[in-house]
Amino acid sequence: MRFRLTPRETSFYDLFAISADNVLSGSRLLMELLGAEPATRGEIADRMRAAEHAGDDATHAIFHQLNSSFITPFDREDIYRLASRLDDIMDFMEEAVDLVVLYELDELPKGIAQQIEVLNRAAELTAEAMPHLRTMEHLNEYWIEVNRLENQADQIHRKLLAHLFNGSYEAIEVMKLKQVVDVLEEAADAFEAVANTVETIVVKES
């Protein structure tokens, strides 16, 4: 790593860690949704909405710090991109929970549980990775594993779509479930986008 002669703003690291921890909280709410009775899902959706608002607050704090800092720990564009992509994950997870509640989907296909388990693991890895941005070390395994998880999520998504269109569901139910399945896939893509951004930052700074 290059030796730096100028001091760097360190609060960004803390803000990214807060944002990633909030993403992990959101993924745990998704896991909670799986085992919840339909009547209790509205309360989980309320907590997910609060988590999404907390994620927005963390993102805005990063943008505010970025706009008020002359010196940043790495490229300004990468700071903006990383913050935005972490925020995207929360948006997709909140949307998925909201759709389940609004569409009153009493029973979810087994494959959705697999999707959510993959997202939860990606969230754990992302939360563990953010503190390592300070040193840019021990991150290689992170982005490799998240990319592997995203490939796994793709396979689960395709199998779920095949299951939904096999004739076992009414057309309107297929439309509702497909929206949930697609949004969860977008969340998996967003995790990969975060990992790819971290890889880009590390390559630039090494």
Side-chain angles (χ1 to χ4, degrees):
M1 181 180 294
R2 297 195 302 269
F3 177 74
R4 302 197 183 283
L5 296 175
T6 55
R8 296 298 178 108
E9 175 61 60
T10 58
S11 65
F12 287 105
Y13 301 120
D14 298 325
L15 292 170
F16 280 126
I18 289 168
S19 184
D21 285 343
N22 193 60
V23 166
L24 179 57
S25 296
S27 76
R28 287 171 176 164
L29 286 170
L30 273 177
M31 293 288 289
E32 190 176 336
L33 183 79
L34 288 174
E37 294 294 326
T40 67
R41 287 175 179 168
E43 186 269 336
I44 295 172
D46 289 341
R47 283 190 282 141
M48 179 63 94
R49 202 166 295 113
E52 193 273 332
H53 290 327
D56 286 342
D57 289 343
T59 303
H60 294 152
I62 293 169
F63 291 164
H64 175 76
Q65 186 68 38
L66 185 61
N67 291 330
S68 60
S69 297
F70 179 70
I71 298 173
T72 58
F74 41 87
D75 285 354
R76 305 179 77 86
E77 294 82 2
D78 290 328
I79 291 173
Y80 180 86
R81 187 175 298 112
L82 182 55
S84 297
R85 288 177 172 175
L86 284 165
D87 189 61
D88 287 343
I89 298 170
M90 281 303 304
D91 288 344
F92 289 132
M93 292 195 297
E94 191 270 334
E95 182 180 353
V97 173
D98 211 28
L99 287 172
V100 169
V101 174
L102 291 173
Y103 287 158
E104 299 179 345
L105 297 171
D106 291 344
E107 188 172 343
L108 302 174
K110 274 196 307 185
I112 287 182
Q114 293 177 306
Q115 279 189 300
I116 290 173
E117 287 165 5
V118 168
L119 294 179
N120 187 62
R121 181 58 186 145
E124 290 173 345
L125 291 169
T126 302
E128 291 168 5
M130 287 303 111
H132 291 290
L133 283 173
R134 288 181 183 274
T135 61
M136 301 289 174
E137 296 175 349
H138 310 297
L139 285 166
N140 181 272
E141 296 85 355
Y142 153 68
W143 64 67
I144 290 173
E145 181 61 12
V146 170
N147 275 271
R148 187 195 69 79
L149 288 169
E150 197 279 329
N151 289 335
Q152 184 180 343
D154 284 344
Q155 294 174 356
I156 295 168
H157 181 245
R158 288 192 292 269
K159 289 178 181 178
L160 261 170
L161 292 181
H163 175 68
L164 292 179
F165 288 102
N166 70 4
S168 301
Y169 296 90
E170 297 291 334
I172 189 67
E173 196 76 1
V174 170
M175 292 174 62
K176 292 176 179 179
L177 288 169
K178 184 179 183 299
Q179 269 196 275
V180 175
V181 166
D182 287 349
V183 169
L184 290 172
E185 172 62 14
E186 288 185 278
D189 291 342
F191 272 112
E192 183 181 41
V194 168
N196 291 343
T197 302
V198 170
E199 181 179 10
T200 298
I201 291 167
V202 172
V203 169
K204 285 182 180 179
E205 296 298 307
S206 62

